[in-house]
Amino acid sequence: MIFLIEANEQYIDELEQFKNEVLVYDAENEDQFAGCMGLENCSTAKEWIEMCNLRKKAETCELTGAEVPSTTYFAIRESDNRLVGVIDLRHHINHPILGTWGGHCGYSVRPSERGNGYAKEMLRLNIKNAKIMGIQKLLVTCDETNKASEKTILSNGGIFEKIIEVDGCNMKRYWIDINQ
């Protein structure tokens, strides 16, 4: 069982461990930090959490390079308070990239915790956050070859719309009706 909590300094050590694990396990993957909203560009976990706080507001999100406000959550396992993943929720997708292939959220599961169903639960909980925020339909995308992410989206009610090509990569677009 996990819960989502907004990114905060309480889990700074866990975030550092998460980042280091991604650097080791996914060293050969050029998209190793996909779903981590710029974690790879920050020298410290504290700096990244400060960026997450700036991204929450329309007035300050552009200071981080983001054009749309978003809220970033840690997925915490209840039994041992371990950070098992990170998930983001963009407040809207009224932006050419986000409305085409970026979607409402990105997520990443800690490499040593993959295959345990955490992504599915993270997305399920983030759908609840989207409902609270007033989002009615959630756009979630994944690389055509990312079967794990596709399974996560489908298990949360994702309805396939179409495949689009983005920089030589085929991306699948799915919509999740929040009110179902």
Side-chain angles (χ1 to χ4, degrees), residues 134-147:
I135 297 169
Q136 295 181 10
K137 286 181 80 175
L138 200 70
L139 174 63
V140 186
T141 65
C142 67
D143 185 298
E144 182 179 42
T145 63
N146 190 339
K147 298 302 179 193

Side-chain angles (χ1 to χ4, degrees), residues 35 87-90 92-93 97-108 119-120 122-128 130 135-144 146 148-164 170-178:
I87 191 165
D88 193 45
L89 178 60
R90 294 177 188 101
H92 64 80
I93 56 171
I97 293 173
L98 298 177
T100 303
W101 64 270
H104 281 96
C105 63
Y107 48 88
S108 180
K120 177 181 176 180
M122 288 164 53
L123 184 54
R124 186 187 74 78
L125 293 170
N126 215 27
I127 290 167
K128 289 182 176 186
I135 297 169
Q136 295 181 10
K137 286 181 80 175
L138 200 70
L139 174 63
V140 186
T141 65
C142 67
D143 185 298
E144 182 179 42
N146 190 339
S149 190
E150 181 177 31
K151 185 178 176 184
T152 294
I153 296 165
L154 290 170
S155 68
N156 276 287
I159 304 296
F160 176 73
E161 179 191 49
K162 65 182 175 180
I163 295 175
I164 59 168
N170 286 333
M171 301 292 290
K172 289 186 170 184
R173 289 172 48 103
Y174 292 88
W175 288 96
I176 299 173
D177 186 348
I178 302 296

Side-chain angles (χ1 to χ4, degrees), residues 25-95:
Y25 278 74
D26 296 334
E28 302 300 317
N29 183 350
E30 65 183 47
D31 291 328
Q32 70 186 140
F33 283 98
C36 292
M37 292 66 64
L39 178 59
E40 71 276 17
N41 300 322
C42 294
S43 56
T44 66
K46 183 177 180 179
E47 178 186 349
W48 186 75
I49 291 167
E50 289 169 359
M51 282 182 55
C52 291
N53 287 330
L54 289 171
R55 279 196 300 260
K56 287 192 290 189
K57 296 181 182 160
E59 307 82 47
T60 56
C61 70
E62 289 186 13
L63 298 173
T64 69
E67 296 182 35
V68 170
S70 64
T71 304
T72 304
Y73 301 93
F74 292 149
I76 306 296
R77 185 168 50 212
E78 290 178 8
S79 64
D80 60 1
N81 225 26
R82 181 176 169 92
L83 189 153
V84 297
V86 175
I87 191 165
D88 193 45
L89 178 60
R90 294 177 188 101
H91 301 180
H92 64 80
I93 56 171
N94 300 333
H95 181 274

Side-chain angles (χ1 to χ4, degrees), residues 22 25-26 32 84 108-118:
V22 170
Y25 278 74
D26 296 334
Q32 70 186 140
V84 297
S108 180
V109 175
R110 191 177 193 145
S112 62
E113 300 293 346
R114 293 176 184 156
N116 294 318
Y118 291 126

